[in-house]
Amino acid sequence: MESISIYMSGTRTLDTITRQLELAEDEILVKMTQASICDADLRAWSGMHMPSDLPSFAHIGHEGGGEVVEIGKKVREFKVGDKVMAFGPLNTFSHYFKGPVQNFIKVPDGLDMEIACLGEPICVGMFGVFHSGVQLGDIALVAGLNFQGMIAVQGLKKRGAHKVIAVDYSDAHLALAKKIGADFVLNTNTQDVREEIKELTKGKGVDTTLHSCGYWNPRTEDYFNMCIDITRDEGVLSSLPDMMSPINVGLHRLHHHAIDIRFNALMHHSPEFLRIWVPLLMRPVVQGDIDIKALITDSYPLSQVNEAMKKFSEDEDQVKILLKP
C-alpha cells in the first residue's frame, strides 16, 4: 500500500512524502478519518529538547483514528470495516497508517468519529480526572487550560468538586473554561493568582490541584510551583503533562505539608492496562457528560499541516487543531 504521509525532516519542517506500507502479520492498515496535533508534536516540530527514551517524531502523528481497510494474517481482534482509535506513534498524519493491534482500540458504538479520533488525548485527560483525588465538596484548581486541562475543568466538577478554579494566561481559554463549568477563572498575566486563591479559600489553599502545563509551554515551571504553593496542607497535587526538560521546584513544601503528589501517565503503561482503562475513560464522553466539541478550535486539511502547526505555535488561544485527509 502506498500512502501520502507527513515526515518531519528538520526543525519546523514538515514534508509530504509517499510511503510504502507493508503489513506484518500482527498489524492492521487504517484509512485516516482524522488526526490532531498534540503539544508533544509542537515541541518536536519547534526543535526543543526531546528525551532520548521517546520514539522518533520524524514520522509524525500519534493522535487520530479511522477505518480498518486491511488486516495481517494473524489478526483476530479487528476486521475490515471496523472503526478504530489510535494509541501510539503510528504516523497518523497520513492518508493511511499501520501498526500492531495493541496500538488500536475499537470506537465505542455510536460515537461521533470527530470525537472518537480524539480518543487518545481524551483518555489522557480523563485518566487525570479519575486519579486526581478530588472528593465531594472539594475546592479544585486546574492550572493550564490545554485540551486535557479543559477536560479536567469539566471532569473535576462532575466528580464532586464544589468549586473549580481555572488558571491560564489566555483570556480566550478562560472564557471557554467558564462556559464549560469553571466557577472562577484567573489570568496569570494580569492577576496575582496566589493572593486570589488565598482570598477565595480563606487562607487554606485548594484541596485538589491539577497541573496541566507542560510539553512546549515556557510557563511549566512557574505553574508547577504555583500549584505547590496553593495546595492546602495534606491536599492532592496531580500533574498530567510530560515535562520534557528539568525544572526547579520547591519540594520542601510537598514534604513538610504532607501534600500527596501524583503523576498521571496513562500512555506509559502496558497495552493490557490501556484495554482495561480506555473503555472506562471514554464512557463519560460517550454518555455526553464531557463536552469535547467545544474544545476543537480549528481544522486544516492534511495538505496544510505546516500552516496548522504554525497556527498552533503562534496562536496561544488554540486548544485542539484537527487534521483531515
Side-chain angles (χ1 to χ4, degrees):
M1 164 65 71
E2 189 173 88
S3 177
I4 295 174
S5 302
I6 302 303
Y7 179 77
M8 186 164 60
S9 59
T11 300
R12 296 177 179 263
T13 305
L14 296 174
D15 300 324
T16 300
I17 64 171
T18 299
R19 193 177 185 194
Q20 291 292 333
L21 302 177
E22 295 185 7
L23 284 190
E25 58 188 14
D26 65 339
E27 291 184 327
I28 63 173
L29 180 68
V30 176
K31 182 178 181 182
M32 186 262 267
T33 299
Q34 175 187 293
S36 49
I37 301 173
C38 173
D39 285 5
D41 297 327
L42 180 61
R43 181 183 178 93
W45 174 84
S46 299
M48 300 173 70
H49 164 75
M50 299 296 287
S52 60
D53 59 348
L54 291 179
S56 171
F57 276 68
H59 291 290
I60 191 168
H62 58 273
E63 298 180 1
E67 180 177 341
V68 178
V69 294
E70 188 179 341
I71 64 173
K73 65 182 182 181
K74 287 191 176 180
V75 173
R76 301 293 180 267
E77 297 86 348
F78 302 100
K79 65 181 184 302
V80 172
D82 281 346
K83 303 293 195 300
V84 294
M85 303 178 289
F87 288 81
L90 298 167
N91 192 202
T92 57
F93 292 12
S94 185
H95 286 187
Y96 293 86
F97 58 92
K98 73 180 184 80
V101 293
Q102 68 185 30
N103 290 114
F104 296 92
I105 293 179
K106 287 183 182 179
V107 171
D109 290 342
L111 186 61
D112 183 337
M113 278 299 287
E114 187 170 70
I115 296 175
C117 289
L118 290 164
E120 192 259 22
I122 288 171
C123 287
V124 169
M126 290 301 299
F127 191 72
V129 171
F130 275 52
H131 291 81
S132 64
V134 69
Q135 299 293 325
L136 189 66
D138 276 358
I139 296 177
L141 180 138
V142 178
L145 298 175
N146 57 8
F147 185 76
Q148 283 81 19
M150 292 290 190
I151 288 173
V153 166
Q154 301 175 72
L156 294 177
K157 191 76 173 180
K158 295 279 187 180
R159 201 167 170 84
H162 176 59
K163 299 290 184 185
V164 173
I165 305 166
V167 173
D168 200 75
Y169 47 87
S170 159
D171 284 334
H173 286 177
L174 293 167
L176 177 55
K178 187 75 172 176
K179 182 179 178 181
I180 61 177
D183 297 286
F184 303 100
V185 294
L186 300 172
N187 190 318
T188 50
N189 286 338
T190 59
Q191 295 170 276
D192 186 335
V193 170
R194 288 170 174 80
E195 286 301 313
E196 295 282 354
I197 298 294
K198 187 176 180 180
E199 184 175 336
L200 284 170
T201 62
K202 297 181 172 54
K204 295 180 180 178
V206 297
D207 301 292
T208 309
T209 305
L210 193 145
H211 170 259
S212 191
C213 180
Y215 297 104
W216 57 269
N217 202 304
R219 302 166 187 83
T220 299
E221 182 176 301
D222 289 343
Y223 273 44
F224 197 93
N225 279 303
M226 175 180 65
C227 289
I228 294 175
D229 292 343
I230 61 184
T231 302
R232 68 164 173 83
D233 292 3
E234 299 180 273
V236 180
L237 192 169
S238 59
S239 185
L240 194 53
D242 199 341
M243 292 169 280
M244 297 180 175
S245 293
I247 61 173
N248 293 312
V249 297
L251 296 177
H252 167 72
R253 177 168 165 74
L254 291 174
H255 172 83
H256 196 67
H257 295 261
I259 294 171
D260 182 356
I261 178 73
R262 303 177 180 185
F263 292 93
N264 300 315
L266 171 73
M267 289 302 297
H268 308 292
H269 293 273
S270 67
E272 292 77 15
F273 187 90
L274 284 177
R275 299 217 172 273
I276 293 169
W277 271 102
V278 168
L280 298 174
L281 299 170
M282 290 299 293
R283 184 169 62 183
V285 176
V286 174
Q287 294 172 169
D289 297 324
I290 305 294
D291 185 352
I292 298 300
K293 292 274 190 180
L295 313 184
I296 298 169
T297 47
D298 217 332
S299 179
Y300 286 79
L302 188 62
S303 61
Q304 295 180 18
V305 64
N306 281 293
E307 291 87 338
M309 198 69 79
K310 189 171 184 288
K311 178 75 168 180
F312 195 24
S313 173
E314 296 178 355
D315 183 359
E316 291 188 334
D317 293 340
Q318 293 296 322
V319 178
K320 182 59 71 175
I321 295 179
L322 308 182
L323 297 171
K324 307 279 189 174

